[in-house]
């Protein structure tokens, strides 16, 4: 019922896009050498941080490193559940060096970091969803990494196969709306293999389904606190469906970061 949804306070880890650029192309959104407006990226990113804080969430920052233009996409660096950190091993050699500064941040905070043995891109492909972890594969994170994640956390990992290169990470095609007492998600079915679509329909008969337009507008790269959904302002159909279910869309425009294939969720790692 509209108005009755309860937000849960979150702790987010982010990284300022001071060194943001599109210098290589590792997904279909990226065009090598395409100019980016770093000041605009910084402004848009700051608006996201401000929106989180204005809604009661804690935001922590990893210092950005020069020469790592994708480091702003904090979600990819690890997945943290119950204070246990499973780090990252990027597929693209250009991104491999990002894992270290994030690991250093966690270690300085007193966390131990488990290193993946197989390619694993953190919350980009691993979406903790209450009783289980939804795990994408097909482009980046491997099935071997899914097994490592299940073994490390002792939480069931549900593998989902991504089939559309525009939605190369699970968090570009699906996000959790609630992970507390009610567990639900929003997703774009066309991003998944037929079998994975059936799995999602079985697990989430009440899911909010998004159109391809919503997905291309980075509408599924959203962050929900259980009530507020921080969402791309271009995903209008999806925002309407969410509002009809009692969620409160909070539009945040990260169009400059879309040039690298990332949006709101990509810029946000949750420390659980
Ligand atoms: N350029 C980055 C890459 O292709 C974008 C990562 C976006 N992050 C995400 N969680 N989907 O790896």
């Amino acid at each position: 019922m509209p108005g009755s949804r309860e937000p849960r306070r979150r702790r987010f880890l982010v990284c300022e896009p001071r060194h943001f650029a599109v210098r290589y192309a590792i997904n279909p959104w990226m065009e090598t050498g395409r100019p980016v407006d770093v000041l605009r990226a910084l402004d848009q990113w700051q608006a996201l941080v401000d929106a989180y804080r204005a809604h009661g969430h804690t935001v922590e920052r990893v210092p950005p490193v020069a020469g790592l233009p994708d480091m702003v996409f904090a979600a990819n660096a690890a997945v943290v559940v119950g204070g246990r950190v499973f780090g990252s091993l990027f597929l693209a050699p250009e991104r491999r060096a990002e894992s270290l500064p994030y690991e250093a941040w966690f270690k300085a905070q007193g966390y131990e970091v488990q290193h993946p043995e197989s390619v694993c891109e953190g919350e980009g492909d691993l979406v903790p969803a209450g009783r289980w972890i939804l795990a994408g594969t097909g482009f980046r994170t491997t099935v071997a990494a899914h097994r490592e994640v299940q073994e490390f956390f002792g939480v069931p990992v549900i593998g989902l196969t991504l089939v559309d290169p525009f939605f190369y990470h699970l968090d570009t095609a699906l996000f959790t709306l609630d992970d507390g007492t009610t567990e639900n998600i929003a997703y774009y079915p066309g991003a998944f293999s037929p079998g994975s679509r059936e799995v999602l329909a079985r697990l989430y008969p009440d899911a909010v389904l998004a159109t391809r337009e919503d997905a291309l507008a980075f509408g599924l790269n959203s962050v929900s606190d259980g009530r507020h959904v921080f969402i791309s302002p271009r995903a209008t159909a999806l925002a309407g469906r969410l509002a009809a279910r009692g969620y409160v869309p909070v539009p945040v425009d990260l169009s400059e970061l879309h040039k690298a294939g990332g949006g709101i969720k990509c810029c946000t790692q949750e420390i659980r």
Side-chain angles (χ1 to χ4, degrees), residues 230-255:
F230 302 88
I231 186 169
S232 160
R234 286 168 45 225
T236 48
L238 178 57
R241 285 180 197 179
L242 293 169
R245 300 277 199 110
Y247 297 97
V248 181
V250 178
V252 180
D253 184 17
L254 293 188
S255 56

PDB file of all heavy atoms in Angstrom, residues 230-255:
ATOM      1  N   PHE A 230      16.432   5.019  -5.676  1.00  0.00           N
ATOM      2  CA  PHE A 230      17.301   5.975  -6.363  1.00  0.00           C
ATOM      3  C   PHE A 230      17.439   5.459  -7.793  1.00  0.00           C
ATOM      4  O   PHE A 230      17.971   4.371  -8.023  1.00  0.00           O
ATOM      5  CB  PHE A 230      18.638   6.072  -5.625  1.00  0.00           C
ATOM      6  CG  PHE A 230      18.455   6.477  -4.181  1.00  0.00           C
ATOM      7  CD1 PHE A 230      18.232   5.528  -3.190  1.00  0.00           C
ATOM      8  CD2 PHE A 230      18.428   7.822  -3.832  1.00  0.00           C
ATOM      9  CE1 PHE A 230      18.007   5.898  -1.865  1.00  0.00           C
ATOM     10  CE2 PHE A 230      18.203   8.209  -2.507  1.00  0.00           C
ATOM     11  CZ  PHE A 230      17.989   7.247  -1.529  1.00  0.00           C
ATOM     12  N   ILE A 231      16.918   6.223  -8.735  1.00  0.00           N
ATOM     13  CA  ILE A 231      16.703   5.684 -10.086  1.00  0.00           C
ATOM     14  C   ILE A 231      16.982   6.744 -11.148  1.00  0.00           C
ATOM     15  O   ILE A 231      16.764   7.944 -10.926  1.00  0.00           O
ATOM     16  CB  ILE A 231      15.252   5.133 -10.199  1.00  0.00           C
ATOM     17  CG1 ILE A 231      15.015   4.414 -11.531  1.00  0.00           C
ATOM     18  CG2 ILE A 231      14.211   6.231  -9.974  1.00  0.00           C
ATOM     19  CD1 ILE A 231      13.701   3.619 -11.577  1.00  0.00           C
ATOM     20  N   SER A 232      17.428   6.280 -12.297  1.00  0.00           N
ATOM     21  CA  SER A 232      17.666   7.166 -13.442  1.00  0.00           C
ATOM     22  C   SER A 232      16.361   7.871 -13.839  1.00  0.00           C
ATOM     23  O   SER A 232      15.334   7.215 -14.014  1.00  0.00           O
ATOM     24  CB  SER A 232      18.188   6.330 -14.608  1.00  0.00           C
ATOM     25  OG  SER A 232      17.996   7.010 -15.825  1.00  0.00           O
ATOM     26  N   PRO A 233      16.397   9.194 -14.043  1.00  0.00           N
ATOM     27  CA  PRO A 233      15.162   9.914 -14.364  1.00  0.00           C
ATOM     28  C   PRO A 233      14.579   9.528 -15.725  1.00  0.00           C
ATOM     29  O   PRO A 233      13.419   9.812 -16.004  1.00  0.00           O
ATOM     30  CB  PRO A 233      15.598  11.389 -14.363  1.00  0.00           C
ATOM     31  CG  PRO A 233      17.071  11.379 -14.479  1.00  0.00           C
ATOM     32  CD  PRO A 233      17.563  10.070 -13.931  1.00  0.00           C
ATOM     33  N   ARG A 234      15.395   8.857 -16.569  1.00  0.00           N
ATOM     34  CA  ARG A 234      14.891   8.477 -17.892  1.00  0.00           C
ATOM     35  C   ARG A 234      14.070   7.192 -17.863  1.00  0.00           C
ATOM     36  O   ARG A 234      13.414   6.855 -18.836  1.00  0.00           O
ATOM     37  CB  ARG A 234      16.054   8.367 -18.874  1.00  0.00           C
ATOM     38  CG  ARG A 234      16.601   9.763 -19.286  1.00  0.00           C
ATOM     39  CD  ARG A 234      17.937   9.633 -20.021  1.00  0.00           C
ATOM     40  NE  ARG A 234      17.906   8.578 -21.016  1.00  0.00           N
ATOM     41  CZ  ARG A 234      18.873   7.659 -21.196  1.00  0.00           C
ATOM     42  NH1 ARG A 234      19.936   7.680 -20.444  1.00  0.00           N
ATOM     43  NH2 ARG A 234      18.764   6.756 -22.129  1.00  0.00           N
ATOM     44  N   ALA A 235      14.114   6.468 -16.764  1.00  0.00           N
ATOM     45  CA  ALA A 235      13.370   5.204 -16.680  1.00  0.00           C
ATOM     46  C   ALA A 235      11.948   5.495 -16.188  1.00  0.00           C
ATOM     47  O   ALA A 235      11.521   5.060 -15.120  1.00  0.00           O
ATOM     48  CB  ALA A 235      14.092   4.239 -15.746  1.00  0.00           C
ATOM     49  N   THR A 236      11.199   6.211 -17.007  1.00  0.00           N
ATOM     50  CA  THR A 236       9.912   6.748 -16.542  1.00  0.00           C
ATOM     51  C   THR A 236       8.840   5.666 -16.357  1.00  0.00           C
ATOM     52  O   THR A 236       8.077   5.712 -15.394  1.00  0.00           O
ATOM     53  CB  THR A 236       9.400   7.813 -17.529  1.00  0.00           C
ATOM     54  OG1 THR A 236       9.500   7.280 -18.849  1.00  0.00           O
ATOM     55  CG2 THR A 236      10.220   9.080 -17.448  1.00  0.00           C
ATOM     56  N   ALA A 237       8.786   4.698 -17.283  1.00  0.00           N
ATOM     57  CA  ALA A 237       7.759   3.655 -17.148  1.00  0.00           C
ATOM     58  C   ALA A 237       7.996   2.861 -15.865  1.00  0.00           C
ATOM     59  O   ALA A 237       7.070   2.614 -15.082  1.00  0.00           O
ATOM     60  CB  ALA A 237       7.783   2.735 -18.367  1.00  0.00           C
ATOM     61  N   LEU A 238       9.250   2.507 -15.642  1.00  0.00           N
ATOM     62  CA  LEU A 238       9.584   1.732 -14.440  1.00  0.00           C
ATOM     63  C   LEU A 238       9.278   2.537 -13.173  1.00  0.00           C
ATOM     64  O   LEU A 238       8.703   2.007 -12.211  1.00  0.00           O
ATOM     65  CB  LEU A 238      11.059   1.314 -14.479  1.00  0.00           C
ATOM     66  CG  LEU A 238      11.582   0.538 -13.274  1.00  0.00           C
ATOM     67  CD1 LEU A 238      10.767  -0.729 -13.027  1.00  0.00           C
ATOM     68  CD2 LEU A 238      13.064   0.186 -13.463  1.00  0.00           C
ATOM     69  N   ALA A 239       9.639   3.811 -13.177  1.00  0.00           N
ATOM     70  CA  ALA A 239       9.371   4.653 -11.997  1.00  0.00           C
ATOM     71  C   ALA A 239       7.868   4.664 -11.701  1.00  0.00           C
ATOM     72  O   ALA A 239       7.457   4.597 -10.532  1.00  0.00           O
ATOM     73  CB  ALA A 239       9.896   6.068 -12.223  1.00  0.00           C
ATOM     74  N   GLY A 240       7.056   4.709 -12.757  1.00  0.00           N
ATOM     75  CA  GLY A 240       5.603   4.687 -12.575  1.00  0.00           C
ATOM     76  C   GLY A 240       5.126   3.383 -11.955  1.00  0.00           C
ATOM     77  O   GLY A 240       4.291   3.368 -11.048  1.00  0.00           O
ATOM     78  N   ARG A 241       5.713   2.265 -12.434  1.00  0.00           N
ATOM     79  CA  ARG A 241       5.315   0.967 -11.877  1.00  0.00           C
ATOM     80  C   ARG A 241       5.724   0.846 -10.416  1.00  0.00           C
ATOM     81  O   ARG A 241       5.003   0.258  -9.598  1.00  0.00           O
ATOM     82  CB  ARG A 241       5.975  -0.163 -12.671  1.00  0.00           C
ATOM     83  CG  ARG A 241       5.307  -0.359 -14.007  1.00  0.00           C
ATOM     84  CD  ARG A 241       5.953  -1.475 -14.809  1.00  0.00           C
ATOM     85  NE  ARG A 241       5.553  -1.335 -16.197  1.00  0.00           N
ATOM     86  CZ  ARG A 241       5.933  -2.121 -17.183  1.00  0.00           C
ATOM     87  NH1 ARG A 241       6.747  -3.134 -16.931  1.00  0.00           N
ATOM     88  NH2 ARG A 241       5.522  -1.926 -18.406  1.00  0.00           N
ATOM     89  N   LEU A 242       6.883   1.391 -10.101  1.00  0.00           N
ATOM     90  CA  LEU A 242       7.355   1.329  -8.710  1.00  0.00           C
ATOM     91  C   LEU A 242       6.452   2.169  -7.808  1.00  0.00           C
ATOM     92  O   LEU A 242       6.073   1.740  -6.712  1.00  0.00           O
ATOM     93  CB  LEU A 242       8.809   1.813  -8.624  1.00  0.00           C
ATOM     94  CG  LEU A 242       9.832   0.912  -9.318  1.00  0.00           C
ATOM     95  CD1 LEU A 242      11.184   1.602  -9.399  1.00  0.00           C
ATOM     96  CD2 LEU A 242       9.963  -0.424  -8.586  1.00  0.00           C
ATOM     97  N   ALA A 243       6.099   3.351  -8.302  1.00  0.00           N
ATOM     98  CA  ALA A 243       5.238   4.237  -7.500  1.00  0.00           C
ATOM     99  C   ALA A 243       3.890   3.569  -7.243  1.00  0.00           C
ATOM    100  O   ALA A 243       3.335   3.648  -6.143  1.00  0.00           O
ATOM    101  CB  ALA A 243       5.063   5.576  -8.207  1.00  0.00           C
ATOM    102  N   ALA A 244       3.381   2.859  -8.251  1.00  0.00           N
ATOM    103  CA  ALA A 244       2.094   2.177  -8.098  1.00  0.00           C
ATOM    104  C   ALA A 244       2.164   1.077  -7.043  1.00  0.00           C
ATOM    105  O   ALA A 244       1.147   0.683  -6.469  1.00  0.00           O
ATOM    106  CB  ALA A 244       1.664   1.596  -9.444  1.00  0.00           C
ATOM    107  N   ARG A 245       3.389   0.592  -6.765  1.00  0.00           N
ATOM    108  CA  ARG A 245       3.568  -0.451  -5.740  1.00  0.00           C
ATOM    109  C   ARG A 245       3.923   0.142  -4.381  1.00  0.00           C
ATOM    110  O   ARG A 245       4.298  -0.582  -3.452  1.00  0.00           O
ATOM    111  CB  ARG A 245       4.693  -1.406  -6.147  1.00  0.00           C
ATOM    112  CG  ARG A 245       4.467  -2.117  -7.456  1.00  0.00           C
ATOM    113  CD  ARG A 245       3.587  -3.345  -7.276  1.00  0.00           C
ATOM    114  NE  ARG A 245       3.778  -4.212  -8.418  1.00  0.00           N
ATOM    115  CZ  ARG A 245       4.402  -5.397  -8.358  1.00  0.00           C
ATOM    116  NH1 ARG A 245       4.861  -5.864  -7.228  1.00  0.00           N
ATOM    117  NH2 ARG A 245       4.548  -6.116  -9.450  1.00  0.00           N
ATOM    118  N   GLY A 246       3.932   1.459  -4.289  1.00  0.00           N
ATOM    119  CA  GLY A 246       4.185   2.076  -2.985  1.00  0.00           C
ATOM    120  C   GLY A 246       5.619   2.487  -2.736  1.00  0.00           C
ATOM    121  O   GLY A 246       5.968   2.923  -1.638  1.00  0.00           O
ATOM    122  N   TYR A 247       6.477   2.360  -3.753  1.00  0.00           N
ATOM    123  CA  TYR A 247       7.860   2.842  -3.609  1.00  0.00           C
ATOM    124  C   TYR A 247       7.911   4.313  -3.996  1.00  0.00           C
ATOM    125  O   TYR A 247       7.030   4.811  -4.709  1.00  0.00           O
ATOM    126  CB  TYR A 247       8.812   2.029  -4.496  1.00  0.00           C
ATOM    127  CG  TYR A 247       8.863   0.585  -4.098  1.00  0.00           C
ATOM    128  CD1 TYR A 247       8.079  -0.363  -4.754  1.00  0.00           C
ATOM    129  CD2 TYR A 247       9.652   0.163  -3.029  1.00  0.00           C
ATOM    130  CE1 TYR A 247       8.091  -1.695  -4.367  1.00  0.00           C
ATOM    131  CE2 TYR A 247       9.668  -1.165  -2.646  1.00  0.00           C
ATOM    132  CZ  TYR A 247       8.889  -2.087  -3.311  1.00  0.00           C
ATOM    133  OH  TYR A 247       8.897  -3.403  -2.916  1.00  0.00           O
ATOM    134  N   VAL A 248       8.951   4.975  -3.533  1.00  0.00           N
ATOM    135  CA  VAL A 248       9.102   6.399  -3.826  1.00  0.00           C
ATOM    136  C   VAL A 248      10.341   6.598  -4.697  1.00  0.00           C
ATOM    137  O   VAL A 248      11.472   6.511  -4.204  1.00  0.00           O
ATOM    138  CB  VAL A 248       9.255   7.214  -2.509  1.00  0.00           C
ATOM    139  CG1 VAL A 248       9.394   8.697  -2.810  1.00  0.00           C
ATOM    140  CG2 VAL A 248       8.073   6.940  -1.582  1.00  0.00           C
ATOM    141  N   PRO A 249      10.158   6.807  -6.000  1.00  0.00           N
ATOM    142  CA  PRO A 249      11.324   7.015  -6.868  1.00  0.00           C
ATOM    143  C   PRO A 249      12.032   8.328  -6.525  1.00  0.00           C
ATOM    144  O   PRO A 249      11.376   9.352  -6.339  1.00  0.00           O
ATOM    145  CB  PRO A 249      10.732   7.077  -8.286  1.00  0.00           C
ATOM    146  CG  PRO A 249       9.351   6.494  -8.167  1.00  0.00           C
ATOM    147  CD  PRO A 249       8.898   6.789  -6.767  1.00  0.00           C
ATOM    148  N   VAL A 250      13.361   8.249  -6.415  1.00  0.00           N
ATOM    149  CA  VAL A 250      14.177   9.443  -6.182  1.00  0.00           C
ATOM    150  C   VAL A 250      15.098   9.558  -7.400  1.00  0.00           C
ATOM    151  O   VAL A 250      16.078   8.820  -7.510  1.00  0.00           O
ATOM    152  CB  VAL A 250      15.016   9.316  -4.884  1.00  0.00           C
ATOM    153  CG1 VAL A 250      15.903  10.539  -4.689  1.00  0.00           C
ATOM    154  CG2 VAL A 250      14.120   9.082  -3.675  1.00  0.00           C
ATOM    155  N   PRO A 251      14.760  10.438  -8.355  1.00  0.00           N
ATOM    156  CA  PRO A 251      15.559  10.486  -9.585  1.00  0.00           C
ATOM    157  C   PRO A 251      16.938  11.095  -9.360  1.00  0.00           C
ATOM    158  O   PRO A 251      17.068  12.138  -8.703  1.00  0.00           O
ATOM    159  CB  PRO A 251      14.721  11.373 -10.527  1.00  0.00           C
ATOM    160  CG  PRO A 251      13.673  12.007  -9.694  1.00  0.00           C
ATOM    161  CD  PRO A 251      13.615  11.350  -8.362  1.00  0.00           C
ATOM    162  N   VAL A 252      17.950  10.414  -9.885  1.00  0.00           N
ATOM    163  CA  VAL A 252      19.326  10.919  -9.837  1.00  0.00           C
ATOM    164  C   VAL A 252      19.928  10.644 -11.212  1.00  0.00           C
ATOM    165  O   VAL A 252      19.976   9.493 -11.655  1.00  0.00           O
ATOM    166  CB  VAL A 252      20.166  10.216  -8.741  1.00  0.00           C
ATOM    167  CG1 VAL A 252      21.583  10.761  -8.737  1.00  0.00           C
ATOM    168  CG2 VAL A 252      19.539  10.362  -7.363  1.00  0.00           C
ATOM    169  N   ASP A 253      20.387  11.702 -11.872  1.00  0.00           N
ATOM    170  CA  ASP A 253      20.880  11.574 -13.244  1.00  0.00           C
ATOM    171  C   ASP A 253      22.397  11.392 -13.277  1.00  0.00           C
ATOM    172  O   ASP A 253      23.138  12.294 -12.889  1.00  0.00           O
ATOM    173  CB  ASP A 253      20.482  12.843 -14.029  1.00  0.00           C
ATOM    174  CG  ASP A 253      20.872  12.734 -15.494  1.00  0.00           C
ATOM    175  OD1 ASP A 253      21.142  11.604 -15.963  1.00  0.00           O
ATOM    176  OD2 ASP A 253      20.913  13.783 -16.171  1.00  0.00           O
ATOM    177  N   LEU A 254      22.836  10.230 -13.759  1.00  0.00           N
ATOM    178  CA  LEU A 254      24.286   9.986 -13.888  1.00  0.00           C
ATOM    179  C   LEU A 254      24.657   9.816 -15.366  1.00  0.00           C
ATOM    180  O   LEU A 254      25.465   8.957 -15.728  1.00  0.00           O
ATOM    181  CB  LEU A 254      24.689   8.737 -13.092  1.00  0.00           C
ATOM    182  CG  LEU A 254      24.579   8.795 -11.567  1.00  0.00           C
ATOM    183  CD1 LEU A 254      25.212   7.539 -10.951  1.00  0.00           C
ATOM    184  CD2 LEU A 254      25.280  10.027 -10.987  1.00  0.00           C
ATOM    185  N   SER A 255      24.050  10.629 -16.234  1.00  0.00           N
ATOM    186  CA  SER A 255      24.220  10.447 -17.677  1.00  0.00           C
ATOM    187  C   SER A 255      25.689  10.469 -18.116  1.00  0.00           C
ATOM    188  O   SER A 255      26.063   9.770 -19.059  1.00  0.00           O
ATOM    189  CB  SER A 255      23.429  11.506 -18.435  1.00  0.00           C
ATOM    190  OG  SER A 255      23.827  12.794 -18.014  1.00  0.00           O
TER     191      SER A 255
END
